[in-house]
Amino acid sequence: MTQDTAFSGYADPALHARGLFIGGNWAPGAGAIPVHDPSTGNRIADVADAGVDHALRAVDAAEAAAEGWRKMSSRQRSEILRRWFELMRAHAEELALLISLENGKALPDARGEVAYAAEFFRWYAEEATRVGGEFRHTPSGAHNILVDHEPIGIAVLITPWNFPAAMATRKIGPALAAGCTVILKPASETPLTAYAMARLGEEAGVPPGVVNVLTTSKPGPVTAAMLADKRVRKLSFTGSTGVGRTLLAEAAKSVVSCSMELGGNAPFLVFDDADIDAALDGAMVAKMRNGGEACTAANRFYVQSGIHDAFVEGLTRRMAALKLGRGYDPDVQCGPMITTKAVEKIDRLVSEAKARGARATTGGEPAGESGYYYPPTVLVDVPTDAALAHEEIFGPVAAVYRFETEEEAVRLANDTEYGLAAYVYSGDVMRAMRVGRGIDTGMVGINRGLMSDPAAPFGGTKQSGLGREGGVTGILEFMEPKYFAVEF
Ligand code: NAD
């Protein structure tokens, strides 16, 4: 597929942005970064490569726009976000195709992502006008306490490739609603969606410099330079725990406020008394949304003995029936992985588990086509100390383990350094809630395989991160409380 045919599906050529977006202008970079279509391995576009000087120019632009944006009424900021939401909806099909082209995910998943991503703009358009303060009398009666919330300042936003639209809107929405200006650095694998959304932001009326977007092949030095600049007051990062740790250390040098959405290793617990069809439906969503490339993806299925074999049989049937292929082809339900490296990692984890006694009831070997494919796979008899029980698989592999008691299930679920998401299926809601409380994660799905919602606080405990995105508190990640001691 050549670049031209890859992009022929677009109705709107305005979405074909390639340059760095700084201060409302499209600027060339210091070189080019190739973007590949994971469905074929073909190069589909080049985007500009930013160096440290471009990044500092973006900070200049964010600073120049800061005062005007902060002083604009929240109603006006809200209406701009609302227009951006409407434009994303109007361009939903082009955006979905773009996401599928550069990320590989199946079109239904890409459409779902665009809808989810746009909702962050609608939600924060609404929240922008509802930022509250606080008034209290001191217990001593000496004075009064007035608490205001102010925009924290210039924010650097770094996003991963697995949700190129939603991870960006989940940060841009609350940051803009709070009154901050931002520099977004999307993943180099999937930059086209971010640039396309920047075009829509321009059209929505986002003033120049409020949102800047830059891609770089040198994320370490470029980010370090921005964090060292005293004008930058916030880092909001979504990505792997390893990179998150590096960035926390970098941010510590200038005491920059950090929000971190990091890796996951979600357990999916099914008790004997669960509705098995509902559990299987939920398992397919929790495992296969985005081909398994989601931080909330169910990584470890713990199934109670009495229902184990029926669950494995049902899951195998459903996974084997999925159509694997190019993400944007009709009827495809599972697209390729993001890179060959991702396929190699999955293969390594599955091979190690098989060498230690695990058995594949479907899949279990790389698909061996052009592109980066791994077939939907179910593994049984997996030892609980296999590497794939402890590392993020980030692919379409469901490893099923057997358990006997509730205590054992909770212990196994907590046997990980991660704490992002967990799922519990049981016909006894009291039990499901008790188990959910016992699991150390930021989010628990009770008889439900999908938890992401712009109105809910998204985030993890342990090595899965710091802070929450979305919900009513998400905006506060981009604000500083200011306390006035008032005597009257
Ligand atoms: P990654 O950590 O490799 O990259 C994430 C982003 O960080 C990219 O933009 C990348 O270019 C950038 N980056 C890499 N090294 C950097 C450095 N030294 N300095 C500054 N930036 C740097 O992660 P990924 O492979 O793109 O994404 C997958 C990971 O993201 C998984 O671990 C997944 O669980 C996690 N994730 C978490 C959430 C969540 O909300 N908790 C959501 C989606 C993905």
Side-chain angles (χ1 to χ4, degrees):
M1 187 181 291
T2 67
Q3 179 170 323
D4 285 342
T5 55
F7 286 94
S8 62
Y10 294 115
D12 184 355
L15 294 185
H16 300 198
R18 300 284 182 279
L20 307 173
F21 187 57
I22 300 176
N25 296 309
W26 294 90
I33 305 174
V35 183
H36 293 96
D37 169 2
S39 292
T40 59
N42 290 343
R43 180 175 180 158
I44 51 169
D46 288 325
V47 292
D49 191 0
V52 165
D53 49 336
H54 298 101
L56 296 180
R57 268 173 43 206
V59 177
D60 292 342
E63 191 198 20
E67 196 180 338
W69 185 248
R70 176 193 180 111
K71 287 192 172 156
M72 188 182 274
S73 73
S74 63
R75 172 70 70 211
Q76 279 174 293
R77 290 200 302 264
S78 161
E79 281 168 1
I80 291 171
L81 278 172
R82 175 74 197 201
R83 278 200 294 277
W84 206 349
F85 158 72
E86 305 284 2
L87 282 166
M88 280 188 73
R89 285 224 297 209
H91 292 275
E93 213 38 44
E94 293 107 294
L95 287 170
L97 179 58
L98 191 52
I99 290 172
S100 181
L101 268 167
E102 64 176 355
N103 167 282
K105 69 179 71 176
L107 264 182
D109 281 336
R111 291 189 182 110
E113 180 184 347
V114 175
Y116 172 54
E119 285 299 333
F120 282 102
F121 286 159
R122 173 151 68 175
W123 174 257
Y124 282 108
E126 290 158 354
E127 289 298 291
T129 57
R130 311 212 194 295
V131 175
E134 196 182 322
F135 178 83
R136 283 173 192 268
H137 307 285
T138 60
S140 69
H143 63 96
N144 300 296
I145 296 168
L146 190 65
V147 182
D148 190 14
H149 290 105
E150 297 187 340
I152 195 165
I154 297 174
V156 171
L157 316 176
I158 302 181
T159 51
W161 48 263
N162 65 338
F163 287 95
M167 296 303 96
T169 59
R170 201 164 77 177
K171 298 184 190 304
I172 295 171
L176 266 55
C180 298
T181 56
V182 306
I183 299 132
L184 170 69
K185 194 215 79 60
S188 307
E189 293 87 350
T190 55
L192 304 175
T193 306
Y195 284 128
M197 290 201 307
R199 293 301 279 255
L200 297 179
E202 275 186 293
E203 205 179 322
V206 177
V210 170
V211 175
N212 305 279
V213 185
L214 47 88
T215 33
T216 178
S217 61
K218 302 164 279 298
V222 162
T223 308
M226 289 193 282
L227 293 178
D229 188 315
K230 297 285 184 286
R231 295 171 295 176
V232 170
R233 298 310 313 143
K234 178 79 197 182
L235 170 64
S236 178
F237 172 77
T238 298
S240 60
T241 297
V243 173
R245 286 189 189 116
T246 303
L247 289 175
L248 279 167
E250 202 61 50
K253 294 179 190 164
S254 318
V255 195
V256 170
S257 163
C258 288
S259 298
M260 294 273 150
E261 294 289 349
L262 308 176
N265 182 9
F268 189 105
L269 276 48
V270 189
F271 287 87
D272 282 347
D273 59 3
D275 172 335
I276 188 160
D277 288 327
L280 286 166
D281 288 347
M284 291 303 289
V285 177
K287 178 72 254 179
M288 292 306 296
R289 187 166 71 115
N290 246 18
E293 292 176 315
C295 52
T296 50
N299 230 27
R300 302 169 288 147
F301 288 84
Y302 297 115
V303 186
Q304 205 164 13
S305 272
I307 204 171
H308 176 275
D309 292 354
F311 183 86
V312 167
E313 193 264 319
L315 190 63
T316 302
R317 199 161 11 88
R318 289 172 189 235
M319 291 284 272
L322 291 178
K323 184 169 176 196
L324 180 70
R326 301 196 307 179
Y328 36 78
D329 282 347
D331 305 327
V332 164
Q333 292 157 300
C334 181
M337 301 292 95
I338 187 74
T339 54
T340 41
K341 223 171 115 200
V343 176
E344 284 160 17
K345 178 186 173 188
I346 298 166
D347 191 31
R348 170 177 64 77
L349 291 172
V350 171
S351 300
E352 192 251 13
K354 287 201 296 192
R356 304 195 43 214
R359 184 168 53 83
T361 58
T362 184
E365 301 283 345
E369 299 172 28
S370 68
Y372 319 133
Y373 295 92
Y374 201 93
T377 294
V378 178
L379 292 178
V380 292
D381 303 331
V382 185
T384 52
D385 60 350
L388 105 174
H390 300 280
E391 285 182 44
E392 253 186 316
I393 300 170
F394 239 56
V397 177
V400 186
Y401 310 79
R402 190 188 290 267
F403 74 86
E404 304 294 338
T405 66
E406 190 178 308
E407 293 69 28
E408 184 190 4
V410 172
R411 182 177 53 73
L412 287 167
N414 282 331
D415 185 18
T416 171
E417 64 169 354
Y418 295 106
L420 189 63
Y423 305 87
V424 182
Y425 273 79
S426 168
D428 176 352
V429 175
M430 293 294 279
R431 162 144 84 179
M433 288 300 295
R434 186 170 63 237
V435 168
R437 285 215 172 85
I439 300 177
D440 189 355
T441 55
M443 302 178 286
V444 183
I446 301 286
N447 291 327
R448 191 167 162 77
L450 179 67
M451 53 186 53
S452 302
D453 191 304
F458 188 104
T461 61
K462 301 199 278 187
Q463 303 297 301
S464 288
L466 300 169
R468 295 291 181 270
E469 291 190 316
V472 289
T473 56
I475 195 167
L476 296 178
E477 303 271 329
F478 292 93
M479 304 196 93
E480 287 278 25
K482 181 181 258 178
Y483 154 52
F484 296 88
V486 188
E487 196 162 324
F488 62 84

